[in-house]
Amino acid sequence: GKHRIVIPCLGHFKEEYEKVSKLYMNNKIRTTRYTLLNFLPLNLFEQFHRVANLYFLFLVVLNWVPLVEAFQKEITVLPLIGVLTIIAVKDGLEDYSRYKMDKQINNLVTKVYSR
């Protein structure tokens, strides 16, 4: 069966803990999707995987061609920017709530029993 070894970082176990802990990843929970550095590029990448957003981007680019121009160039960009902004804010708030929950779970007091 599967089993788990827990070595407390106390007194005479400290050397053994340091030796064993180098072999394993930490056990922090991380369910967030973004960091502050990758939020904007990763979020835009995910949003442009939606066909509707690609369609609106195509319309914006097409409107910049003088022969096909139907509206003012700036006006066609506004709906796309509005939708992208609303979805980015929603994704950011969801990710921030996941971050707070992860932080709360990772800071719980844990009891370690030894024989």
Side-chain angles (χ1 to χ4, degrees), residues 14-81:
K14 187 171 181 161
E15 293 174 10
E16 186 177 355
Y17 171 78
E18 289 173 355
K19 184 171 54 173
V20 171
S21 66
K22 292 177 185 175
L23 303 174
Y24 298 104
M25 296 288 292
N26 63 19
N27 62 350
K28 285 187 177 182
I29 294 173
R30 182 175 181 261
T31 59
T32 57
R33 192 181 314 169
Y34 308 108
T35 63
L36 288 176
L37 294 176
N38 73 1
F39 175 75
L40 190 60
L42 192 57
N43 188 268
L44 286 174
F45 178 75
E46 289 177 359
Q47 287 192 44
F48 282 115
H49 269 77
R50 296 183 181 130
V51 177
N53 290 343
L54 282 175
Y55 173 73
F56 284 115
L57 180 65
F58 173 72
L59 289 179
V60 168
V61 171
L62 192 63
N63 198 44
W64 284 82
V65 176
L67 294 173
V68 188
E69 182 179 348
F71 304 106
Q72 292 179 357
K73 296 173 185 173
E74 297 80 16
I75 292 177
T76 57
V77 177
L78 291 178
L80 181 64
I81 289 176

Side-chain angles (χ1 to χ4, degrees), residues 75-90:
I75 292 177
T76 57
V77 177
L78 291 178
L80 181 64
I81 289 176
V83 168
L84 294 178
T85 302
I86 290 170
I87 294 173
V89 168
K90 177 192 70 87

